[in-house]
Amino acid sequence: MNITIETDDGTAPQTFDIQPEQTVQVLIERIDAAGQVDGHSLLEETLGVLPVAALTTPLGDRLQRLKHLKTHRVCVELHFETDTAKRWFPTRARWAAVHRWGCRQFQVAANTCAHLELRLATPDGPPVNEAQPIGQNAECVTAWLIKPGAEPNGR
């Protein structure tokens, strides 16, 4: 079965051939590899919360709901120490998805990741409420993944 993902910014739609016995994780990885939008956030927005156990379950009946997905997306430029990475997220994705992705992207250990926080614009910028949606923005949103405290971060 084909799943088509279309964004609101005129980017060409992407189609993925997925079989019912393939897992949610396989679909996430294929969407991520295409680079158009964060796969986990997109499927979480469509299917609801995706606990770790759900990632290994076959797509099966869920494929009908996933046949054609249309999403609004926003670019997030994330900084960690001296590294920077950009990724597209659905505008309704929560900031927690950016935090999760940042820790994977920058290969931060899970126990360290739990103690990092997101800040907008600069390392000293306002803290981000990770339960809130990222929201619409015409330009790439800049965020920093930092260690809280008095010491300088990423400078």
Side-chain angles (χ1 to χ4, degrees):
M1 171 181 244
N2 287 334
I3 296 173
T4 302
I5 298 174
E6 185 180 349
T7 60
D8 61 338
D9 57 8
T11 305
Q14 294 197 305
T15 302
F16 303 91
D17 183 28
I18 298 292
Q19 302 306 313
E21 63 273 4
Q22 290 181 303
T23 65
V24 173
Q25 183 64 40
V26 168
L27 181 56
I28 288 171
E29 289 169 2
R30 296 202 39 212
I31 294 169
D32 286 349
Q36 196 174 36
V37 69
D38 182 70
H40 191 277
S41 300
L42 179 65
L43 294 184
E44 193 170 59
E45 176 184 309
T46 306
L47 299 173
V49 176
L50 288 175
V52 174
L55 299 178
T56 58
T57 58
L59 285 163
D61 296 336
R62 297 177 179 197
L63 283 175
Q64 280 306 111
R65 280 180 59 191
L66 297 172
K67 196 170 186 176
H68 186 91
L69 304 175
K70 187 168 185 172
T71 188
H72 301 284
R73 65 184 190 159
V74 62
C75 170
V76 176
E77 180 180 294
L78 187 61
H79 297 265
F80 176 71
E81 296 178 346
T82 59
D83 296 327
T84 303
K86 286 185 182 180
R87 179 138 189 152
W88 292 94
F89 288 88
T91 56
R92 292 188 293 186
R94 307 275 178 233
W95 279 102
V98 175
H99 190 146
R100 234 184 356 257
W101 168 74
C103 289
R104 282 193 320 267
Q105 177 69 25
F106 300 121
Q107 299 175 349
V108 177
N111 58 344
T112 303
C113 182
H115 299 289
L116 297 177
E117 64 183 33
L118 283 173
R119 295 205 174 242
L120 283 179
T122 68
D124 300 324
V128 174
N129 179 346
E130 294 189 17
Q132 295 297 314
I134 299 168
Q136 192 89 7
N137 202 321
E139 296 181 14
C140 210
V141 178
T142 301
W144 285 77
L145 190 57
I146 64 163
K147 295 179 287 190
E151 62 196 52
N153 288 284
R155 291 185 240 156

